[in-house]
Amino acid sequence: VINGQDKLRIGEQDVVVIMGAGPIGCMQVSLAKAKGAKKIILADIDEKKLKLAKVTPADLFVLHKGEKLKETIMKE
């Protein structure tokens, strides 16, 4: 998780989209928030995982089963 975000160089004005609300996705959310990301969107196809992930500091949780994910993200 740390290596991936170091390569991305997430900063204060970034909007971050994380695909997958499992343990690694949740760690990505927390680290992106700690690095000052402006907005964090967490997306998953599993409603149960998204509900469990609501303890993370993500700004938006998107269930993208049947949704057009790109459109939802671009609206934000």
Side-chain angles (χ1 to χ4, degrees):
V1 172
I2 293 169
N3 288 336
Q5 287 209 9
D6 283 346
K7 288 181 182 183
L8 294 172
R9 292 185 238 153
I10 292 172
E12 292 181 9
Q13 294 303 312
D14 291 326
V15 175
V16 178
V17 178
I18 298 167
M19 302 295 294
I24 292 173
C26 291
M27 285 187 276
Q28 293 281 8
V29 170
S30 295
L31 190 54
K33 183 60 97 176
K35 290 187 171 213
K38 179 173 143 183
K39 186 170 218 169
I40 302 169
I41 302 168
L42 181 58
D44 203 303
I45 60 172
D46 186 337
E47 188 173 3
K48 186 177 178 182
K49 280 186 183 178
L50 274 178
K51 285 181 182 179
L52 290 171
K54 293 206 176 190
V55 298
T56 69
D59 299 299
L60 180 65
F61 298 86
V62 178
L63 178 65
H64 65 90
K65 187 186 291 187
E67 275 186 42
K68 294 192 176 192
L69 183 60
K70 183 178 178 181
E71 289 177 18
T72 302
I73 291 168
M74 297 311 290
K75 285 179 188 176
E76 292 297 319

